[in-house]
Amino acid sequence: QVQLQESGGGSVQAGGSLTLSCALSGVSEYDEYYLSWFRQAPGKGREGVAAINAQGETFYPDSMQDRVTISEDNAENTLNLQMNKLQLEDSAIYYCGAVIRPVGRVAPLEEWQYFYWGQGTQVTVSS
């Protein structure tokens, strides 16, 4: 059974950096999967921040390309998100998502693509 648990959220000043982690359970036994980070600010929909597949290919929206890095640590069974130059609008609840053996066209940064979700971790950026 796939389980995800985020950690690493907190408060940070604008311009600072933060690394989020997502503990993965039940993912490594598969050879085809996508993992992702999404975020949801109050009153807004869930937005894709970064994604990575089992082959290590990464995906970023243009708006985040230069500020975030997603990585999977197979030894620790974690999915990490390094965020730099944080801005006030980066404040949100951050979720990790997973889909195993997706069928058909894959949209790595679309919410509908993912079946498993963690509980989320709050990131608050202040001025």
Side-chain angles (χ1 to χ4, degrees):
Q1 181 179 358
V2 174
Q3 293 183 321
L4 310 172
Q5 179 63 61
E6 303 90 341
S7 63
S11 297
V12 62
Q13 286 193 322
S17 299
L18 197 64
T19 298
L20 305 180
S21 290
C22 177
L24 308 173
S25 176
V27 173
S28 61
E29 61 192 75
Y30 298 97
D31 59 1
E32 186 176 355
Y33 55 81
Y34 281 73
L35 303 171
S36 63
W37 284 98
F38 281 72
R39 68 185 183 184
Q40 188 166 18
K44 296 188 177 181
R46 201 167 287 193
E47 172 190 22
V49 176
I52 188 169
N53 63 17
Q55 290 71 45
E57 186 178 9
T58 57
F59 307 86
Y60 303 99
D62 291 343
S63 61
M64 307 297 291
Q65 181 79 42
D66 298 328
R67 299 196 297 120
V68 301
T69 302
I70 190 171
S71 61
E72 183 184 6
D73 186 328
N74 292 310
E76 297 292 329
N77 281 328
T78 59
L79 176 72
N80 301 310
L81 183 71
Q82 170 71 41
M83 300 188 291
N84 301 314
K85 301 178 183 178
L86 285 163
Q87 304 166 4
L88 298 181
E89 51 266 36
D90 293 319
S91 296
I93 299 174
Y94 283 71
Y95 299 90
C96 59
V99 59
I100 307 299
R101 293 177 181 162
V103 177
R105 180 181 69 88
V106 178
L109 296 173
E110 296 293 330
E111 182 183 3
W112 59 262
Q113 183 69 71
Y114 295 90
F115 186 78
Y116 301 98
W117 294 97
Q119 294 299 310
T121 186
Q122 176 73 50
V123 172
T124 302
V125 183
S126 59
S127 58

